[in-house]
Amino acid sequence: MSSNPPNPSKPPSPSAPPNPLRSTRLWITLGIILLANIIITNVLLAPAQPTTVTLPYDVFKQQVTAGNVISVTTTGDAITGVTKTPVNETKTGVTATHFTTQRPSFADDGLEPLLEQHGVTINAKPENPPPPFWETLLLSFGPTLLIVFGVLYLFRRIGNASGAGGLLGSFGQSRARLYNPETPGTTFADVAGIDEVKQELQELVDFLREPQKYQRLGGMVPKGVLLIGPPGTGKTLLARAVAGEAKVPFFSQSASEFVEAIVGVGASRVRDLFMKARQAAPAIIFIDELDAIGRSRSAGLRIGGNDEQEQTLNQILTEMDGFEPGKGVIVLAATNRADVLDQALLRPGRFDRRVTLQPPDRRGRTAILKIHAAKVPLGPDVDLDQIAGATPGLVGADLANLVNEAALGAARKGETVVSATDFFEAIDRILLGTERHLMLSPSDRERIAYHESGHALLGLLVPGADPVRKVTIIPHGGALGVTVQSPIGDRFNYGEDYLRARIIGALGGRAAEQLVYNNVSTGAANDLQQVTQIAHEMVVRWGMSPKIGPLAFAEDSGSGLGMVRPYSEATASEVDMEVKRIADECFADAMRLLTEHRSQLDSLARAVLKDDSLDEEQILAATGIQRQTPAGGGENGATQAAASVSAKAP
Ligand code: ADP
Ligand code: ZN
C-alpha cells in the first residue's frame, strides 16, 4: 500500500470562452422564436373565417336568379360568395351569408351573363396562388442550409475528437489560444520550502520585468528552464509564481494535450502557442508533463502516436531555436523524469537550465503547512511543526490536501476551529485510506491480527527499523489491516541494514502466518511486492550484492518496451539469484525472530484483537519492549523515505 496520497487536483485551467454556435441554449431559443413566429402568422394573424355553407350548384344558381347573391369569387371552378340574406344548407341545417359551391366543368350555362344580369360583383383568383413568402424562402434555401449545418456539425465533431473543441477555425490551434493567457495572482509568497529554487528563478523574474537591463550588458537569458521533481512538489505553482511576480501573461499547456489523434495537429498547436506568446511578450509559456512528448527517441520502441510525438517535439525545438534571446519569452517546462528526456531538448539554447525540486524536509513542510493553514481557523493546540514531523515524504500537494482534509473533518464534527486531533485523523486517512466496514469472521480477524502483529513486532525488534506508530485490523482502503511505521526524521540516504530491516519487517506478516498456522494466505501480496522491489534495487541499483559487485544494472524503467538490457543473460540470472538470496535470508531472519519472541507476538495479537487499533504506546505496553533509539541517516543522498505502511490486502 502506498503511503503517498493522491495529488489534489490542480487549479482549474482557464476555460475557453463559450463558442456561441455551440451553446445548446442558443439553439433552443432560436427554435422557440421560429415556432412562435409560425404560430402567430398562421394561426393568430390569419383572418377569422366566417361561417360558410356549401351549396349545390343548382341551389347557387337559384339564389343568383332570386337576386340574393351580392358577390362571387372564383378560383378555377370553385366559387365562393356572399349573399344578402343567409341561406340554408339543407344537409346540416346551418345558415350563413357566406357560401361555397363547385361549378361542374361541363357546365355551359352562361353563368357570367346571369351574374351580370343580377348585378353580382365578380372576382377571380388564380387557380394556383403563389406560395407564401416564407415557404419560397425555405424551399430555395433549405437544402443549402441543411448542407451547411451538416458540414459545420461534422467539423465540430472532428474538432471535439481532436481536442480542439471548436469549429473550423480552431483546427490545430493550441488550447492555450482558446483561452486568454492569464496573469496569475500567485507570487513567491505562495511557495514555501524550496527557497533555493526560488532564488534561481528570481533571475527570470528580473529579466521579464526589465529585459533591456539584461540585454544592455549582453547577458544571456535562458530560453528554457526545466523544472524537475516528483508530482505535487510545486512545479506548476512555481511557474505561475514566476509569471505572477513578473506580472506577465502565462500560457499554460500540458504536453499530452498537444498530441492528439490527428497527425500534425500537435505541431500546429505548438506553432500557434509560441506565436501567441511572442505577440504578448514578455510572457511565460509553461509546458507541463514534458516527458509525454519529449522522451528520448533513442529508447527504442515507443507505443502509439510515434510520428505525432516526434513532430510535436521537433516543432517545440524549432520554435525555441527560432526566437532570438531577449525577445522576452521564456519557456518553463515540468517533468518528473529528466533522465528519460530526449537529449536534443537539453542542448544549449533550449532547456539548458535545470531546476530540481525535492520533496520538502521537515522545515519545508512546516512552511508549506503554514501557507495552507493560513486559510483555516486553527485551534490553539495545533503545532504545525509537530504535524510536519509526522508527515515525512509528503509533498506540497499532499500537505495542501492534508489541511483541507483536516478542515473538512472539523466541519463534519461541527467544530469552529481545526484542532490537532483533526490533523492527526486526516494524516491517518491520507496514509491509510478511508475506513471500510467489512464483516470478517473471527478466524479471519485473528489471522489478520497475527499478520499485522508480525510486521509490528519485527519493526520493534530489528535494529534500525523505522518506529512502529500504529497497528490496526480495521480495514482501510484496499487493505484488511495496516501497520504504520514512520521514521523519526527525514532520511535521505539508506544503509544496507535499514533496507534489510525494511524487507524483514515486510515479510513479518507472512512469517507470522507461517509460524502460527503453518500455512500462508494471499494477504501478503503487497508485502511481497515491496520486498521484491527493494531487494532488486539493492542488487541492480545500489551495488549491494557481493556477487554482482559495485555495478548498476538498473533498467530505465521509463522507456517502456524495447529497451536493450545492458547486461548478458548470465548476469540476468545471477541478479535473479541474488534477489532471491536476499529475500530468503530476510525471511529466515523474520521466522527466527518471531519464533524467539512468540509470546510477545501472541500478546500483541491478543491486544490488537481486543482493541482493533493500537497506537505506539499501546504497542510498546503490549509487547513490553523499550522504545528504540533512532539510527540516524545522513542528509546527503537524493531519495527520501515516506512513512512505510505494511498492509494486508484481501
Ligand atoms: P506539480 O506541478 O509539481 O505536480 P503543483 O504545482 O501542481 O505540483 O502543486 C499542487 C498544489 O500543491 C499547489 O497548487 C499548491 O497548493 C500545493 N503546493 C505544492 N508545492 C507547494 C509549495 N512548495 N508551497 C506551497 N504549496 C505547494
Ligand atoms: Zn502485510
mmCIF file with all atom_site columns, all heavy atoms in Angstrom, residues 25-39:
data_model
loop_
_atom_site.group_PDB
_atom_site.id
_atom_site.type_symbol
_atom_site.label_atom_id
_atom_site.label_alt_id
_atom_site.label_comp_id
_atom_site.label_asym_id
_atom_site.label_entity_id
_atom_site.label_seq_id
_atom_site.pdbx_PDB_ins_code
_atom_site.Cartn_x
_atom_site.Cartn_y
_atom_site.Cartn_z
_atom_site.occupancy
_atom_site.B_iso_or_equiv
_atom_site.pdbx_formal_charge
_atom_site.auth_seq_id
_atom_site.auth_comp_id
_atom_site.auth_asym_id
_atom_site.auth_atom_id
_atom_site.pdbx_PDB_model_num
ATOM 1   N N   . ARG A 1 25 ? -28.354 26.332 -25.510 1.00 0.00 ? 25 ARG A N   1
ATOM 2   C CA  . ARG A 1 25 ? -29.405 27.246 -25.123 1.00 0.00 ? 25 ARG A CA  1
ATOM 3   C C   . ARG A 1 25 ? -29.763 28.172 -26.287 1.00 0.00 ? 25 ARG A C   1
ATOM 4   O O   . ARG A 1 25 ? -30.915 28.472 -26.544 1.00 0.00 ? 25 ARG A O   1
ATOM 5   C CB  . ARG A 1 25 ? -28.961 28.055 -23.900 1.00 0.00 ? 25 ARG A CB  1
ATOM 6   C CG  . ARG A 1 25 ? -30.165 28.343 -23.018 1.00 0.00 ? 25 ARG A CG  1
ATOM 7   C CD  . ARG A 1 25 ? -29.875 29.308 -21.932 1.00 0.00 ? 25 ARG A CD  1
ATOM 8   N NE  . ARG A 1 25 ? -28.875 28.815 -20.992 1.00 0.00 ? 25 ARG A NE  1
ATOM 9   C CZ  . ARG A 1 25 ? -28.385 29.599 -20.047 1.00 0.00 ? 25 ARG A CZ  1
ATOM 10  N NH1 . ARG A 1 25 ? -28.767 30.849 -19.945 1.00 0.00 ? 25 ARG A NH1 1
ATOM 11  N NH2 . ARG A 1 25 ? -27.484 29.127 -19.210 1.00 0.00 ? 25 ARG A NH2 1
ATOM 12  N N   . LEU A 1 26 ? -28.724 28.576 -27.006 1.00 0.00 ? 26 LEU A N   1
ATOM 13  C CA  . LEU A 1 26 ? -28.966 29.457 -28.136 1.00 0.00 ? 26 LEU A CA  1
ATOM 14  C C   . LEU A 1 26 ? -29.865 28.768 -29.152 1.00 0.00 ? 26 LEU A C   1
ATOM 15  O O   . LEU A 1 26 ? -30.822 29.348 -29.670 1.00 0.00 ? 26 LEU A O   1
ATOM 16  C CB  . LEU A 1 26 ? -27.635 29.835 -28.790 1.00 0.00 ? 26 LEU A CB  1
ATOM 17  C CG  . LEU A 1 26 ? -27.812 30.790 -29.960 1.00 0.00 ? 26 LEU A CG  1
ATOM 18  C CD1 . LEU A 1 26 ? -27.754 32.220 -29.472 1.00 0.00 ? 26 LEU A CD1 1
ATOM 19  C CD2 . LEU A 1 26 ? -26.755 30.547 -31.003 1.00 0.00 ? 26 LEU A CD2 1
ATOM 20  N N   . TRP A 1 27 ? -29.542 27.503 -29.418 1.00 0.00 ? 27 TRP A N   1
ATOM 21  C CA  . TRP A 1 27 ? -30.340 26.767 -30.410 1.00 0.00 ? 27 TRP A CA  1
ATOM 22  C C   . TRP A 1 27 ? -31.780 26.641 -29.960 1.00 0.00 ? 27 TRP A C   1
ATOM 23  O O   . TRP A 1 27 ? -32.714 26.813 -30.750 1.00 0.00 ? 27 TRP A O   1
ATOM 24  C CB  . TRP A 1 27 ? -29.740 25.386 -30.640 1.00 0.00 ? 27 TRP A CB  1
ATOM 25  C CG  . TRP A 1 27 ? -28.499 25.449 -31.472 1.00 0.00 ? 27 TRP A CG  1
ATOM 26  C CD1 . TRP A 1 27 ? -27.238 25.178 -31.073 1.00 0.00 ? 27 TRP A CD1 1
ATOM 27  C CD2 . TRP A 1 27 ? -28.413 25.820 -32.851 1.00 0.00 ? 27 TRP A CD2 1
ATOM 28  N NE1 . TRP A 1 27 ? -26.369 25.359 -32.099 1.00 0.00 ? 27 TRP A NE1 1
ATOM 29  C CE2 . TRP A 1 27 ? -27.061 25.755 -33.210 1.00 0.00 ? 27 TRP A CE2 1
ATOM 30  C CE3 . TRP A 1 27 ? -29.348 26.217 -33.802 1.00 0.00 ? 27 TRP A CE3 1
ATOM 31  C CZ2 . TRP A 1 27 ? -26.619 26.067 -34.493 1.00 0.00 ? 27 TRP A CZ2 1
ATOM 32  C CZ3 . TRP A 1 27 ? -28.902 26.521 -35.074 1.00 0.00 ? 27 TRP A CZ3 1
ATOM 33  C CH2 . TRP A 1 27 ? -27.547 26.445 -35.401 1.00 0.00 ? 27 TRP A CH2 1
ATOM 34  N N   . ILE A 1 28 ? -31.984 26.351 -28.689 1.00 0.00 ? 28 ILE A N   1
ATOM 35  C CA  . ILE A 1 28 ? -33.341 26.191 -28.176 1.00 0.00 ? 28 ILE A CA  1
ATOM 36  C C   . ILE A 1 28 ? -34.098 27.501 -28.323 1.00 0.00 ? 28 ILE A C   1
ATOM 37  O O   . ILE A 1 28 ? -35.230 27.548 -28.805 1.00 0.00 ? 28 ILE A O   1
ATOM 38  C CB  . ILE A 1 28 ? -33.288 25.736 -26.704 1.00 0.00 ? 28 ILE A CB  1
ATOM 39  C CG1 . ILE A 1 28 ? -32.713 24.322 -26.637 1.00 0.00 ? 28 ILE A CG1 1
ATOM 40  C CG2 . ILE A 1 28 ? -34.665 25.787 -26.068 1.00 0.00 ? 28 ILE A CG2 1
ATOM 41  C CD1 . ILE A 1 28 ? -32.502 23.808 -25.241 1.00 0.00 ? 28 ILE A CD1 1
ATOM 42  N N   . THR A 1 29 ? -33.437 28.607 -27.962 1.00 0.00 ? 29 THR A N   1
ATOM 43  C CA  . THR A 1 29 ? -34.079 29.910 -28.076 1.00 0.00 ? 29 THR A CA  1
ATOM 44  C C   . THR A 1 29 ? -34.491 30.186 -29.515 1.00 0.00 ? 29 THR A C   1
ATOM 45  O O   . THR A 1 29 ? -35.620 30.602 -29.805 1.00 0.00 ? 29 THR A O   1
ATOM 46  C CB  . THR A 1 29 ? -33.103 31.012 -27.601 1.00 0.00 ? 29 THR A CB  1
ATOM 47  O OG1 . THR A 1 29 ? -32.430 30.542 -26.454 1.00 0.00 ? 29 THR A OG1 1
ATOM 48  C CG2 . THR A 1 29 ? -33.846 32.288 -27.296 1.00 0.00 ? 29 THR A CG2 1
ATOM 49  N N   . LEU A 1 30 ? -33.553 29.953 -30.433 1.00 0.00 ? 30 LEU A N   1
ATOM 50  C CA  . LEU A 1 30 ? -33.858 30.177 -31.849 1.00 0.00 ? 30 LEU A CA  1
ATOM 51  C C   . LEU A 1 30 ? -35.069 29.356 -32.267 1.00 0.00 ? 30 LEU A C   1
ATOM 52  O O   . LEU A 1 30 ? -35.971 29.856 -32.950 1.00 0.00 ? 30 LEU A O   1
ATOM 53  C CB  . LEU A 1 30 ? -32.651 29.795 -32.701 1.00 0.00 ? 30 LEU A CB  1
ATOM 54  C CG  . LEU A 1 30 ? -31.589 30.879 -32.849 1.00 0.00 ? 30 LEU A CG  1
ATOM 55  C CD1 . LEU A 1 30 ? -30.477 30.394 -33.762 1.00 0.00 ? 30 LEU A CD1 1
ATOM 56  C CD2 . LEU A 1 30 ? -32.218 32.149 -33.424 1.00 0.00 ? 30 LEU A CD2 1
ATOM 57  N N   . GLY A 1 31 ? -35.101 28.107 -31.868 1.00 0.00 ? 31 GLY A N   1
ATOM 58  C CA  . GLY A 1 31 ? -36.195 27.209 -32.228 1.00 0.00 ? 31 GLY A CA  1
ATOM 59  C C   . GLY A 1 31 ? -37.523 27.740 -31.726 1.00 0.00 ? 31 GLY A C   1
ATOM 60  O O   . GLY A 1 31 ? -38.512 27.780 -32.471 1.00 0.00 ? 31 GLY A O   1
ATOM 61  N N   . ILE A 1 32 ? -37.520 28.203 -30.479 1.00 0.00 ? 32 ILE A N   1
ATOM 62  C CA  . ILE A 1 32 ? -38.774 28.691 -29.883 1.00 0.00 ? 32 ILE A CA  1
ATOM 63  C C   . ILE A 1 32 ? -39.263 29.925 -30.630 1.00 0.00 ? 32 ILE A C   1
ATOM 64  O O   . ILE A 1 32 ? -40.443 30.057 -30.964 1.00 0.00 ? 32 ILE A O   1
ATOM 65  C CB  . ILE A 1 32 ? -38.555 29.002 -28.384 1.00 0.00 ? 32 ILE A CB  1
ATOM 66  C CG1 . ILE A 1 32 ? -38.368 27.684 -27.623 1.00 0.00 ? 32 ILE A CG1 1
ATOM 67  C CG2 . ILE A 1 32 ? -39.736 29.774 -27.815 1.00 0.00 ? 32 ILE A CG2 1
ATOM 68  C CD1 . ILE A 1 32 ? -38.061 27.861 -26.161 1.00 0.00 ? 32 ILE A CD1 1
ATOM 69  N N   . ILE A 1 33 ? -38.322 30.831 -30.950 1.00 0.00 ? 33 ILE A N   1
ATOM 70  C CA  . ILE A 1 33 ? -38.713 32.046 -31.667 1.00 0.00 ? 33 ILE A CA  1
ATOM 71  C C   . ILE A 1 33 ? -39.348 31.687 -33.010 1.00 0.00 ? 33 ILE A C   1
ATOM 72  O O   . ILE A 1 33 ? -40.401 32.204 -33.397 1.00 0.00 ? 33 ILE A O   1
ATOM 73  C CB  . ILE A 1 33 ? -37.484 32.958 -31.880 1.00 0.00 ? 33 ILE A CB  1
ATOM 74  C CG1 . ILE A 1 33 ? -37.059 33.537 -30.526 1.00 0.00 ? 33 ILE A CG1 1
ATOM 75  C CG2 . ILE A 1 33 ? -37.797 34.071 -32.860 1.00 0.00 ? 33 ILE A CG2 1
ATOM 76  C CD1 . ILE A 1 33 ? -35.811 34.370 -30.605 1.00 0.00 ? 33 ILE A CD1 1
ATOM 77  N N   . LEU A 1 34 ? -38.718 30.760 -33.708 1.00 0.00 ? 34 LEU A N   1
ATOM 78  C CA  . LEU A 1 34 ? -39.212 30.355 -35.022 1.00 0.00 ? 34 LEU A CA  1
ATOM 79  C C   . LEU A 1 34 ? -40.622 29.777 -34.911 1.00 0.00 ? 34 LEU A C   1
ATOM 80  O O   . LEU A 1 34 ? -41.529 30.131 -35.674 1.00 0.00 ? 34 LEU A O   1
ATOM 81  C CB  . LEU A 1 34 ? -38.264 29.305 -35.601 1.00 0.00 ? 34 LEU A CB  1
ATOM 82  C CG  . LEU A 1 34 ? -38.365 29.133 -37.108 1.00 0.00 ? 34 LEU A CG  1
ATOM 83  C CD1 . LEU A 1 34 ? -37.773 30.353 -37.796 1.00 0.00 ? 34 LEU A CD1 1
ATOM 84  C CD2 . LEU A 1 34 ? -37.616 27.881 -37.545 1.00 0.00 ? 34 LEU A CD2 1
ATOM 85  N N   . LEU A 1 35 ? -40.791 28.924 -33.920 1.00 0.00 ? 35 LEU A N   1
ATOM 86  C CA  . LEU A 1 35 ? -42.082 28.267 -33.724 1.00 0.00 ? 35 LEU A CA  1
ATOM 87  C C   . LEU A 1 35 ? -43.166 29.305 -33.431 1.00 0.00 ? 35 LEU A C   1
ATOM 88  O O   . LEU A 1 35 ? -44.253 29.292 -34.014 1.00 0.00 ? 35 LEU A O   1
ATOM 89  C CB  . LEU A 1 35 ? -41.966 27.293 -32.550 1.00 0.00 ? 35 LEU A CB  1
ATOM 90  C CG  . LEU A 1 35 ? -42.917 26.117 -32.602 1.00 0.00 ? 35 LEU A CG  1
ATOM 91  C CD1 . LEU A 1 35 ? -42.487 25.168 -33.706 1.00 0.00 ? 35 LEU A CD1 1
ATOM 92  C CD2 . LEU A 1 35 ? -42.915 25.381 -31.265 1.00 0.00 ? 35 LEU A CD2 1
ATOM 93  N N   . ALA A 1 36 ? -42.817 30.230 -32.528 1.00 0.00 ? 36 ALA A N   1
ATOM 94  C CA  . ALA A 1 36 ? -43.773 31.261 -32.150 1.00 0.00 ? 36 ALA A CA  1
ATOM 95  C C   . ALA A 1 36 ? -44.169 32.066 -33.376 1.00 0.00 ? 36 ALA A C   1
ATOM 96  O O   . ALA A 1 36 ? -45.340 32.393 -33.599 1.00 0.00 ? 36 ALA A O   1
ATOM 97  C CB  . ALA A 1 36 ? -43.147 32.173 -31.101 1.00 0.00 ? 36 ALA A CB  1
ATOM 98  N N   . ASN A 1 37 ? -43.197 32.363 -34.206 1.00 0.00 ? 37 ASN A N   1
ATOM 99  C CA  . ASN A 1 37 ? -43.429 33.128 -35.415 1.00 0.00 ? 37 ASN A CA  1
ATOM 100 C C   . ASN A 1 37 ? -44.451 32.432 -36.303 1.00 0.00 ? 37 ASN A C   1
ATOM 101 O O   . ASN A 1 37 ? -45.418 33.034 -36.776 1.00 0.00 ? 37 ASN A O   1
ATOM 102 C CB  . ASN A 1 37 ? -42.096 33.246 -36.158 1.00 0.00 ? 37 ASN A CB  1
ATOM 103 C CG  . ASN A 1 37 ? -41.993 34.585 -36.846 1.00 0.00 ? 37 ASN A CG  1
ATOM 104 O OD1 . ASN A 1 37 ? -43.015 35.226 -37.052 1.00 0.00 ? 37 ASN A OD1 1
ATOM 105 N ND2 . ASN A 1 37 ? -40.787 34.986 -37.183 1.00 0.00 ? 37 ASN A ND2 1
ATOM 106 N N   . ILE A 1 38 ? -44.234 31.148 -36.532 1.00 0.00 ? 38 ILE A N   1
ATOM 107 C CA  . ILE A 1 38 ? -45.125 30.380 -37.400 1.00 0.00 ? 38 ILE A CA  1
ATOM 108 C C   . ILE A 1 38 ? -46.537 30.374 -36.837 1.00 0.00 ? 38 ILE A C   1
ATOM 109 O O   . ILE A 1 38 ? -47.518 30.610 -37.542 1.00 0.00 ? 38 ILE A O   1
ATOM 110 C CB  . ILE A 1 38 ? -44.595 28.936 -37.548 1.00 0.00 ? 38 ILE A CB  1
ATOM 111 C CG1 . ILE A 1 38 ? -43.293 28.953 -38.343 1.00 0.00 ? 38 ILE A CG1 1
ATOM 112 C CG2 . ILE A 1 38 ? -45.629 28.055 -38.244 1.00 0.00 ? 38 ILE A CG2 1
ATOM 113 C CD1 . ILE A 1 38 ? -42.614 27.611 -38.417 1.00 0.00 ? 38 ILE A CD1 1
ATOM 114 N N   . ILE A 1 39 ? -46.617 30.162 -35.515 1.00 0.00 ? 39 ILE A N   1
ATOM 115 C CA  . ILE A 1 39 ? -47.943 30.112 -34.890 1.00 0.00 ? 39 ILE A CA  1
ATOM 116 C C   . ILE A 1 39 ? -48.649 31.450 -35.047 1.00 0.00 ? 39 ILE A C   1
ATOM 117 O O   . ILE A 1 39 ? -49.816 31.527 -35.449 1.00 0.00 ? 39 ILE A O   1
ATOM 118 C CB  . ILE A 1 39 ? -47.814 29.744 -33.400 1.00 0.00 ? 39 ILE A CB  1
ATOM 119 C CG1 . ILE A 1 39 ? -47.366 28.285 -33.282 1.00 0.00 ? 39 ILE A CG1 1
ATOM 120 C CG2 . ILE A 1 39 ? -49.136 29.946 -32.670 1.00 0.00 ? 39 ILE A CG2 1
ATOM 121 C CD1 . ILE A 1 39 ? -47.056 27.852 -31.882 1.00 0.00 ? 39 ILE A CD1 1
#
